[in-house]
Amino acid sequence: METHLSRTLVIVSILLSVIGIIVIYSATRDETGLGTSRYMLQSMWFVAGIGVMYITSVLPIRFLQAMTIPVFVVVMILLVAVLASETVKGSSRWIRLGFIGIQPSELAKIAVIMALAQYLSQLRTNIHRPSVMATCGVIVALPVFLILSQPDLGTSIVFGAIFCGVLLWAGLSVLQLLLMVSPLIGVVIGVVSGFDWVIWSVFILIVAGIMYLKWPPRFVTIFLTVTHLAVGLGAEPLWDSLHDYQQQRVETFLNPQVDPKGAGYQIIQSKIAIGSGGLMGRGFLQGSQTSLAFLPEQHTDFIFSVIAEEFGFAGSMAVLVLYYVFILIGIYIAMNVKSRYQCLLAAGCVSVFVFHVIMNVGMAVGVLPIAGVPLPFLSYGGSFLMTSLILCGLLLNVWRHRFDY
Amino acid sequence: MSVGFSQNDNPTHRGQLYLFIGIVTALFLLLAVRLFYFQVISGEEYRAHSERNRIRPVVIEALRGQIMDRNGVVLAENRPSYTIAAAPFETSDETVDYLGELTGREARAIRMRIRDPSVNRFNPLPVQRNVSYEIACRVEEHLPDLPGVLVQVTPGRMYATGTLASHVLGYVSEINQQELDGLSEAGYRSGDIIGKTGVEKAFEHHLRGQNGMEFMEVNARGQELGPLPGMPALLPQSGNNVYLTLDARVQAVAEEAIPDSLAGALVAVDPMTGAVIAIVSRPGFDPNLFTGRIPQETWDSLANHPLKPLLDRTLDGQYPPASTMKIVTASAALDEHVVTPSTLLRPCNHGYQFGNRWAGCWTPGHGSLPFRDAMAQSCDVYFYQVGHQLGLERWSRYARGFGLGTPTGFDVGDEQSGLVPDTDYYDPAENRVWTPGKILNLAIGQGELLVTPLQMAMLTAAVANGGTLYRPFILDRVESAGGETVETSESSIKDTLSVSPETLRLIRESLISVVNEGTARSAQLPYAQLAGKTGTAENPHGDSHSWFVAYAPAESPRIAVAAIMENAPSGSAVPVVRQVVDTWLSLEPRPVAGRIDGGYSEDAAP
């Protein structure tokens, strides 16, 4: 079973990547005017990524640990550099290296996972101590702040998932996690409800109830009380002081139906595409004839809709099962390694995959808001494919070195 | 499981993690159930939907805000116009060729617009605006052969009063690539209408409004079947209405007073606030011409017209101020005690000898005049000597102090600064050589000195109100389409004249003499005292230009005017200004917001 595990992981990631290339071919074959077609570019990234995945999987653990701070610093510098570079369509996300562009925000996912795992394992500190949580918060907040400035909301919330995932594995309970992020939830509830104080009060009562049940340390209690009060009193005037377009951006994110540029339209198109796939699909290359051709971003954020239309319920379920297997193996690895560092490293990787898959497919079937979160291995985009393969390489690394400590 | 390793650092609480696995499993199941529902249970329905129909998101264009004068007279409004639009994704090249044949627009131009890679391929884009009823009907008839094309009724701009205030109102037209690059974040798209000049450009953000969108079902042949059920249209928001301080009646009088055959400019402001009452550049043009595609011959006739009707002479026309500059030269001389009101200088004998050069005066022999008579008779010889004694440095400092050489800060923007030569200006390296005789020319408003009519109006207003140089403004208030006040202008002060009250008093007295016994006697009104100064600008390219700046009533000024008539005999501008002042003073005065907030009480000197 032990070697089967890593072999299965490799096979699943290669399968998903190859399906991605095939579907990207189907979704973009009509495009003209590109020097190299997208599926070819994606294939090149894939070949390179397999090599990088192998290298990642064999690096000694101590080398990985030693690289934590250099990697984090370099990624932060790249994030700052990206902000200083010229913008594409109003947001700057890429750094150009010759003919390829890379997104430092993707590399930041790896850097943050490594940093959190290293910090929480090395000190052997009590995860419940407020100072430890605060340090974790800073490690995550630094890149999130820079990525939000790009602005790229979708990518920055992934870091929330990494934060929650790693802390959960490090011993925090679900309710404690909920308490930690509750001020943020309060802000969202405030904006969505139009600052209805009744709804907010109910929310505060629930938070107070959880606090009573969990009885957190005094410092945490005071911190939460103060932030909740600050959010409750300060959110509305702060919100009013934002520009119209800033408010609109947030509202569109929370509720795409209000977007005048038609995010709601994308959802409808995606639903029609998925629905018209039926049980067995319309067949490879047969999908884009009709409604799907109306679907923007079909090779990136909405690639799942292409699969669902061309390969039907059978195809979309097959892909979901592949992800499910991948994630379960990841969880199994995280649960069954002996060292704290390796466990947390694996937990961070798994968190990224869980978040991306649930968010992306949830968006495609219209149960979650459109947040611009791509599908691991499948979506078009070199940086994210590379990141996915490196994360997979880290999982393989952890499993390969499970006896080293 | 491996055994035999005593050390186990794994921090995991198994219970928590089984809960985590449970949550992940539940989420995957939820997605699976959702997919099953969409694909297997409702699959047939969705497939039928996708085969039968497409959805087309169609932009509903917002009504552009209206532009009104101070009394609510509509200057710019909307009228329905026909627009041909095409959805890039649905429109084939053959369709484009056919559309070009039907509408008479080159197919290449249409193709360039809809094949631009930066446009949204699914939103129909306007390819031809303001088409005639006949062309709209012809396209409508052939719609079955034009998949992807639609005929829309969109708001079009109409300038109700034709050429009235054409320069300051400006005009709207289709956005160009350069504007689009700068504004894509603000939601502009190719083919949109945008203010190009004047008020339309300066207050574009108020006037524009926000476009809406509706989602139309379209059949396989590209014909709209109606709105998609369950997807309500996002309604457009009309732009805000803009009220100007302009008075259309005064504006009309001023425009008619300058004959069509002449070029000229006139600016009338409220001297106590800086609010613009009338702002005229002649000849004008009809801004309605620009809202559609302007025919080449119309454009050529405007662009090549010898009198340059597209030039806004009030802001962009730069002229020597001629004898109107004597207001500034005299202020400097009195304030610097170069002369007193009773000083007599060397006599004017149709000019005087300056070194080895003869500097002429405009009329044979004024003799020796005291200050007030020199001003009333506009004796050049008096001001030559005063200028010579002042010197370039002091003279140019006063000229700048009166607001010349810098933009006035007009809220419509895009104005020229004019030119006040100073010691820095005369640089032999730049081929601008200073000779002592040059100050003689500058002192009487000739030479390199250049001013705009707007600058002269504000200078006159500052003399009238006792020394406050206001920023001119034309925006009175902005109201939402529902009538709520969004913004109100307040008058603002650019600078204060740094001359003593005594000097200003003497200047004002002398300006009354100009009208009562001097060169502007034709400006007299039976019921109100005007004060002003004439000027005749030498024009190396042809006949001289006639200036007149004035304010009235002299004791409590309510209007200040500057006017110039190009290539017109001396004094031609005087009756024009008189007529404008007469019209304004005869009208019932109506307060403007700027006046109430702007400090009639505080800022205005007695």
Side-chain angles (χ1 to χ4, degrees):
Chain A
M1 156 149 203
E2 307 292 282
T3 47
H4 291 309
L5 212 58
S6 44
R7 194 176 300 157
T8 314
L9 213 53
V10 171
I11 289 171
V12 169
S13 54
I14 290 178
L15 260 179
L16 285 168
S17 303
V18 171
I19 293 172
I21 292 167
I22 291 171
V23 179
I24 288 165
Y25 171 73
S26 169
T28 62
R29 68 186 192 283
D30 290 339
E31 288 183 10
T32 49
L34 283 168
T36 315
S37 45
R38 293 188 194 266
Y39 77 96
M40 278 305 295
L41 279 173
Q42 184 82 350
S43 307
M44 283 149 62
W45 276 104
F46 171 63
V47 172
I50 289 293
V52 175
M53 176 171 88
Y54 175 75
I55 295 168
T56 313
S57 71
V58 298
L59 291 173
I61 289 279
R62 294 205 184 281
F63 177 74
L64 272 182
Q65 288 180 306
M67 287 307 287
T68 306
I69 289 174
V71 166
F72 195 81
V73 169
V74 167
V75 167
M76 287 306 121
I77 290 170
L78 287 177
L79 282 175
V80 172
V82 129
L83 283 180
S85 69
E86 89 267 46
T87 59
V88 180
K89 279 192 179 178
S91 63
S92 48
R93 296 178 183 181
W94 277 269
I95 282 190
R96 296 223 73 87
L97 294 174
F99 65 99
I100 54 166
I102 59 164
Q103 277 180 284
S105 56
E106 291 299 337
L107 300 177
K109 292 172 190 169
I110 300 165
V112 165
I113 292 170
M114 286 170 67
L116 283 179
Q118 174 74 353
Y119 172 69
L120 287 171
S121 60
Q122 201 182 38
L123 293 176
R124 293 174 179 265
T125 36
N126 180 356
I127 181 71
H128 296 98
R129 265 177 40 199
S131 63
V132 174
M133 280 195 234
T135 309
C136 293
V138 170
I139 290 173
V140 176
L142 273 176
V144 165
F145 172 74
L146 291 170
I147 292 166
L148 272 178
S149 312
Q150 292 184 359
D152 185 351
L153 196 60
T155 305
S156 50
I157 48 178
V158 180
F159 292 88
I162 296 173
F163 180 77
C164 292
V166 174
L167 286 191
L168 186 73
W169 242 275
L172 220 56
S173 78
V174 174
L175 283 181
Q176 282 168 324
L177 259 181
L178 219 58
L179 275 184
M180 287 209 52
V181 296
S182 60
L184 275 179
I185 301 175
V187 172
V188 173
I189 287 179
V191 171
V192 169
S193 69
F195 302 101
D196 185 329
W197 67 273
V198 178
I199 294 177
W200 190 74
S201 307
V202 171
F203 166 72
I204 288 300
L205 279 179
I206 294 172
V207 173
I210 298 175
M211 275 165 74
Y212 179 75
L213 283 177
K214 298 308 292 184
W215 210 245
R218 193 187 306 134
F219 178 83
V220 176
T221 313
I222 294 169
F223 173 76
L224 282 176
T225 313
V226 169
T227 36
H228 272 291
L229 277 179
V231 165
L233 296 174
E236 188 165 7
L238 201 67
W239 172 256
D240 290 338
S241 73
L242 291 179
H243 285 291
D244 282 353
Y245 75 90
Q246 289 171 321
Q247 293 187 358
Q248 203 180 341
R249 217 171 263 176
V250 176
E251 275 171 351
T252 304
F253 170 66
L254 296 173
N255 180 10
Q257 302 291 341
V258 304
D259 180 10
K261 295 198 190 96
Y265 162 79
Q266 285 185 336
I267 290 284
I268 290 184
Q269 291 302 325
S270 172
K271 281 186 189 170
I272 291 176
I274 292 172
S276 63
L279 187 61
M280 297 308 294
R282 323 194 90 181
F284 182 51
L285 303 186
Q286 302 304 307
S288 60
Q289 294 301 314
T290 57
S291 59
L292 202 54
F294 285 84
L295 184 58
E297 309 293 337
Q298 46 180 295
H299 57 288
T300 55
D301 295 351
F302 280 95
I303 196 158
F304 189 78
S305 314
V306 185
I307 295 169
E309 186 183 36
E310 297 198 343
F311 303 105
F313 182 67
S316 52
M317 278 313 292
V319 168
L320 268 193
V321 167
L322 285 176
Y323 280 121
Y324 188 64
V325 168
F326 187 95
I327 286 165
L328 280 191
I329 294 177
I331 294 174
Y332 181 86
I333 290 174
M335 285 171 80
N336 290 287
V337 290
K338 299 291 176 284
S339 95
R340 193 175 166 88
Y341 174 73
Q342 288 174 298
C343 165
L344 294 180
L345 200 63
C349 298
V350 171
S351 308
V352 172
F353 287 113
V354 170
F355 176 81
H356 272 275
V357 173
I358 300 287
M359 274 303 279
N360 182 283
V361 179
M363 168 186 80
V365 299
V367 294
L368 289 173
I370 296 183
V373 175
L375 204 49
F377 304 113
L378 277 166
S379 284
Y380 175 76
S383 292
F384 187 53
L385 177 61
M386 186 63 85
T387 305
S388 303
L389 289 167
I390 292 174
L391 291 176
C392 181
L394 285 177
L395 281 175
L396 294 171
N397 182 308
V398 165
W399 194 240
R400 181 190 187 95
H401 298 106
R402 63 191 178 280
F403 304 122
D404 282 10
Y405 266 81
Chain B
M1 292 291 140
S2 28
V3 284
F5 287 83
S6 53
Q7 183 197 17
N8 190 341
D9 261 356
N10 197 313
T12 312
H13 296 297
R14 297 259 153 174
Q16 292 286 339
L17 288 189
Y18 288 131
L19 180 64
F20 181 73
I21 294 172
I23 292 172
V24 169
T25 308
L27 287 172
F28 269 88
L29 277 176
L30 180 83
L31 294 178
V33 168
R34 185 90 176 165
L35 283 169
F36 185 76
Y37 167 76
F38 272 138
Q39 301 195 279
V40 181
I41 297 179
S42 323
E44 284 304 310
E45 198 183 304
Y46 276 110
R47 180 167 295 195
H49 197 99
S50 80
E51 272 166 13
R52 194 178 63 238
N53 291 326
R54 299 161 172 178
I55 298 160
R56 182 192 276 168
V58 180
V59 169
I60 314 173
E61 294 188 5
L63 284 174
R64 194 173 172 85
Q66 299 188 322
I67 304 175
M68 259 79 70
D69 87 338
R70 64 165 61 201
N71 301 311
V73 174
V74 177
L75 304 174
E77 60 188 327
N78 298 295
R79 64 173 163 75
S81 74
Y82 294 104
T83 295
I84 312 284
F89 179 79
E90 300 169 64
T91 311
S92 65
D93 284 348
E94 295 80 57
T95 305
V96 170
D97 291 336
Y98 190 34
L99 183 63
E101 259 174 57
L102 287 174
T103 59
R105 182 165 187 192
E106 319 91 87
R108 200 174 52 87
I110 302 175
R111 202 171 295 132
M112 258 174 65
R113 162 144 325 154
I114 66 172
R115 295 290 179 253
D116 180 346
S118 68
V119 305
N120 183 327
R121 298 195 301 151
F122 308 103
N123 284 13
L125 276 179
V127 292
Q128 199 171 352
R129 283 186 183 275
N130 241 3
V131 297
S132 66
Y133 178 70
E134 290 72 34
I135 290 182
C137 289
R138 204 183 305 157
V139 174
E140 186 85 43
E141 272 169 36
H142 290 86
L143 278 187
D145 306 323
L146 294 165
V149 173
L150 54 160
V151 179
Q152 295 174 299
V153 178
T154 55
R157 201 55 157 170
M158 182 165 78
Y159 299 94
T161 43
T163 61
L164 188 83
S166 48
H167 293 92
V168 74
L169 285 183
Y171 57 88
V172 298
S173 195
E174 282 189 11
I175 193 165
N176 62 34
Q177 193 57 46
Q178 196 187 349
E179 291 161 333
L180 202 54
D181 291 343
L183 288 169
S184 58
E185 273 289 277
Y188 285 90
R189 53 192 190 120
S190 186
D192 271 353
I193 288 294
I194 189 171
K196 293 283 183 175
T197 60
V199 166
E200 292 275 25
K201 180 186 181 191
F203 307 118
E204 165 76 15
H205 57 294
H206 283 306
L207 292 165
R208 179 173 171 238
Q210 196 175 12
N211 288 344
M213 188 172 275
E214 60 185 337
F215 299 88
M216 306 298 284
E217 278 191 298
V218 179
N219 69 11
R221 278 183 302 167
Q223 287 160 314
E224 288 185 359
L225 302 174
L228 180 71
M231 195 65 198
L234 298 150
L235 295 177
Q237 286 170 14
S238 299
N240 295 329
N241 294 328
V242 164
Y243 286 81
L244 305 181
T245 59
L246 207 71
D247 191 306
R249 296 167 298 185
V250 182
Q251 180 81 18
V253 166
E255 291 191 4
E256 278 161 27
I258 304 178
D260 270 343
S261 56
L262 285 182
L266 178 146
V267 180
V269 299
D270 180 340
M272 296 306 176
T273 62
V276 172
I277 298 165
I279 184 160
V280 179
S281 178
R282 294 289 275 174
F285 60 89
D286 185 354
N288 289 307
L289 290 173
F290 292 88
T291 52
R293 236 162 42 87
I294 183 164
Q296 192 61 42
E297 56 270 29
T298 316
W299 172 257
D300 288 344
S301 74
L302 278 172
N304 302 331
H305 194 288
L307 294 180
K308 297 188 181 140
L310 294 177
L311 174 69
D312 186 350
R313 294 179 156 79
T314 59
L315 310 179
D316 295 334
Q318 301 187 94
Y319 307 90
S323 295
T324 58
M325 190 61 189
K326 289 172 183 168
I327 296 174
V328 178
T329 307
S331 300
L334 291 169
D335 217 51
E336 295 284 324
H337 307 295
V338 165
V339 288
T340 67
S342 54
T343 307
L344 294 177
L345 300 172
R346 283 168 56 193
C348 166
N349 183 19
H350 202 173
Y352 91 126
Q353 192 69 33
F354 176 76
N356 56 5
R357 182 191 140 190
W358 179 256
C361 185
W362 62 280
T363 198
H366 285 115
S368 276
L369 296 176
F371 161 68
R372 203 161 120 180
D373 295 331
M375 195 75 162
Q377 301 306 327
S378 202
C379 177
D380 289 343
V381 170
Y382 180 89
F383 287 94
Y384 289 147
Q385 299 176 63
V386 157
H388 179 59
Q389 290 178 42
L390 271 170
L392 178 65
E393 198 276 324
R394 281 195 288 183
W395 174 86
S396 61
R397 199 174 71 229
Y398 276 86
R400 289 188 177 280
F402 275 73
L404 305 181
T406 52
T408 61
F410 190 31
D411 55 357
V412 170
D414 289 344
E415 48 171 330
Q416 295 292 329
S417 324
L419 174 66
V420 174
D422 52 16
T423 44
D424 291 340
Y425 172 82
Y426 291 104
D427 181 356
E430 300 272 347
N431 221 4
R432 294 188 290 232
V433 183
W434 167 251
T435 58
K438 286 205 166 174
I439 189 67
L440 271 53
N441 271 334
L442 295 173
I444 61 157
Q446 298 290 162
E448 292 95 335
L449 180 64
L450 291 173
V451 301
T452 67
L454 182 61
Q455 284 173 332
M456 288 314 287
M458 299 322 291
L459 184 155
T460 310
V463 172
N465 66 30
T468 306
L469 201 53
Y470 284 104
R471 282 196 187 86
F473 66 98
I474 200 166
L475 180 74
D476 178 26
R477 63 183 192 280
V478 180
E479 282 183 4
S480 70
E484 280 173 66
T485 303
V486 176
E487 196 179 302
T488 308
S489 295
E490 288 181 17
S491 80
S492 70
I493 295 170
K494 185 191 175 207
D495 205 351
T496 310
L497 301 187
S498 52
V499 292
S500 69
E502 174 60 12
T503 300
L504 265 186
R505 192 185 62 77
L506 290 166
I507 295 290
R508 287 154 59 114
E509 268 177 19
S510 72
L511 295 178
I512 293 174
S513 304
V514 171
V515 174
N516 289 353
E517 58 235 27
T519 53
R521 286 190 296 273
S522 59
Q524 288 170 18
L525 279 177
Y527 60 92
Q529 176 68 59
L530 266 84
K533 184 74 195 80
T534 54
T536 305
E538 284 165 27
N539 175 11
H541 309 294
D543 296 338
S544 345
H545 308 320
S546 167
W547 274 102
F548 188 46
V549 302
Y551 60 89
E555 57 283 5
S556 59
R558 281 166 49 206
I559 184 168
V561 190
I564 184 168
M565 307 270 281
E566 289 184 16
N567 314 117
S570 286
S572 306
V574 176
V576 174
V577 172
R578 178 181 180 275
Q579 221 176 327
V580 166
V581 171
D582 186 23
T583 309
W584 179 244
L585 294 183
S586 321
L587 292 168
E588 194 184 54
R590 284 161 208 267
V592 161
R595 170 179 289 178
I596 294 161
D597 302 327
Y600 220 161
S601 48
E602 287 167 33
D603 299 324

